[in-house]
Amino acid sequence: MDENTKKTVAQIPLLRTKAGPRDGAIWVNRLKEEYSSLIKYMEINKNADNDWFRLTANELGTRWSGKCWKGCPGYEGCRRRGSSYTRGSSLP
């Protein structure tokens, strides 16, 4: 992993709660952690003029969809400009 990636990852809050959608109130805490991490990552990208994706989720946080561009890293389906994807609760 290059130094720039390490620097970026160090700024993103870690996910500490181990829970899934069937875990009730604990899942809500996990979802808040996920949102916090995603928001921070998007802020970092926007500040670096590297804004390459948009995400939305359903109210329960169990269905995520989004759009990415600029050949987003690590997701084969997003290699073309303006590709869309829909995934379960895990992110690409």
Side-chain angles (χ1 to χ4, degrees):
M1 188 180 316
D2 64 82
E3 289 303 314
N4 193 34
T5 301
K6 288 179 183 179
K7 180 181 169 188
T8 300
V9 171
Q11 297 176 56
I12 300 170
L14 296 175
L15 304 178
R16 301 189 185 279
T17 304
K18 293 182 181 180
R22 296 181 182 161
D23 294 325
I26 298 170
W27 170 245
V28 175
N29 290 338
R30 169 60 185 226
L31 196 54
K32 287 178 184 178
E33 290 177 2
E34 288 187 24
Y35 280 130
S36 294
S37 293
L38 282 168
I39 289 167
K40 182 62 177 178
Y41 182 59
M42 292 180 88
E43 286 174 355
I44 292 167
N45 283 338
K46 284 183 180 186
N47 290 336
D49 196 29
N50 188 28
D51 190 20
W52 55 270
F53 70 95
R54 294 282 181 270
L55 288 175
T56 58
N58 67 359
E59 188 175 316
L60 299 175
T62 55
R63 191 86 172 145
W64 296 80
S65 62
K67 189 166 188 161
C68 54
W69 50 94
K70 288 175 69 174
C72 65
Y75 190 75
E76 190 60 38
C78 292
R79 296 286 180 216
R80 295 179 311 277
R81 184 177 189 84
S83 296
S84 296
Y85 60 88
T86 302
R87 305 267 298 180
S89 61
S90 62
L91 295 174

